[in-house]
Amino acid sequence: MLNDGYRGNRKNNMQKKLLEIFPLYPIPNVVNLMRGHGLEEWDDTLPLVGKDWVTVSKDTAYMEHHYTFPCWLMPEAYLYYLPSVILYTYRYAEENISIPEVCYHMISVMKDTVLGVDFAKLSATQMQVIEEWFAYVKHIEQMELDSIK
C-alpha cells in the first residue's frame, strides 16, 4: 500500500476535482466512439457504450483486460474517457504501488499527433489536472525503481 502522503485523500480529492471540471454528459455514442473496425477495436471499446467516465474508472476488470482501449478511441471520445484513466491510476497505484498498463496507453495516444486529439479543447484547469497526473505517475514510477534498488 502506498503510504507517502498521496494515499486516500489524494485519490478522493482528485475524484472531486475531476467531477467538477470534466463533464459526465454527453457520453460518446457508438458512432463517435472508436477508430477502425477491427475485432480488437470492437472488443476494447464496445463495453464503453452508454457508460460515463466515472463508471468506467471503477471497472477494474475492464481497465485490466481492455487496457489498449485509449488507442482505439476517436479524438472526442478520448478526451471524454481521459478522466476515467486518471482516476483509475490513482486508485490502482494506491493499492499496488505501480502504474496500470492502461495509463501508459493513454499517455502514448497523447504523444501521437497523427491521431488528432485536440488538447486545445481542454481548459487550463483541465490541463493542470493532467499535468498533476503526469507528476503523480512519475512519482509512483520513482517509488517502484527505489523499491528494487
Side-chain angles (χ1 to χ4, degrees):
M1 285 255 186
L2 188 59
N3 193 11
D4 68 344
Y6 280 100
R7 194 167 174 222
N9 285 339
R10 179 94 171 156
K11 178 190 69 178
N12 294 336
N13 290 340
M14 181 55 69
Q15 179 171 339
K16 183 179 176 188
K17 189 182 291 187
L18 289 169
L19 283 166
E20 290 171 0
I21 63 173
F22 285 95
L24 285 176
Y25 301 100
I27 297 171
N29 63 36
V30 71
V31 174
N32 300 320
L33 188 61
M34 73 174 164
R35 296 177 296 102
H37 297 87
L39 186 57
E40 187 174 4
E41 290 96 326
W42 279 101
D43 186 49
D44 280 352
T45 58
L46 206 53
L48 295 172
V49 173
K51 292 185 181 173
D52 64 70
W53 63 260
V54 173
T55 301
V56 173
S57 76
K58 295 175 183 177
D59 190 342
T60 301
Y62 176 78
M63 291 291 202
E64 289 181 2
H65 297 291
H66 300 281
Y67 55 84
T68 61
F69 87 89
C71 302
W72 312 125
L73 295 175
M74 295 286 285
E76 294 298 321
Y78 175 90
L79 292 175
Y80 178 80
Y81 287 106
L82 175 59
S84 69
V85 174
I86 293 172
L87 190 54
Y88 179 73
T89 301
Y90 280 85
R91 193 177 85 239
Y92 183 93
E94 180 181 302
E95 296 169 4
N96 300 287
I97 313 177
S98 65
I99 300 300
E101 191 68 30
V102 68
C103 175
Y104 294 114
H105 288 278
M106 189 61 84
I107 291 170
S108 74
V109 172
M110 286 180 171
K111 295 178 180 182
D112 191 340
T113 57
V114 174
L115 298 178
V117 177
D118 185 3
F119 290 97
K121 292 182 176 183
L122 298 178
S123 70
T125 306
Q126 290 169 323
M127 288 304 295
Q128 180 182 359
V129 167
I130 292 168
E131 289 171 13
E132 288 176 31
W133 175 53
F134 283 149
Y136 182 72
V137 168
K138 287 181 180 181
H139 173 77
I140 298 300
E141 287 176 332
Q142 187 59 53
M143 287 181 63
E144 285 181 275
L145 289 172
D146 292 346
S147 73
I148 57 176
K149 289 182 181 177

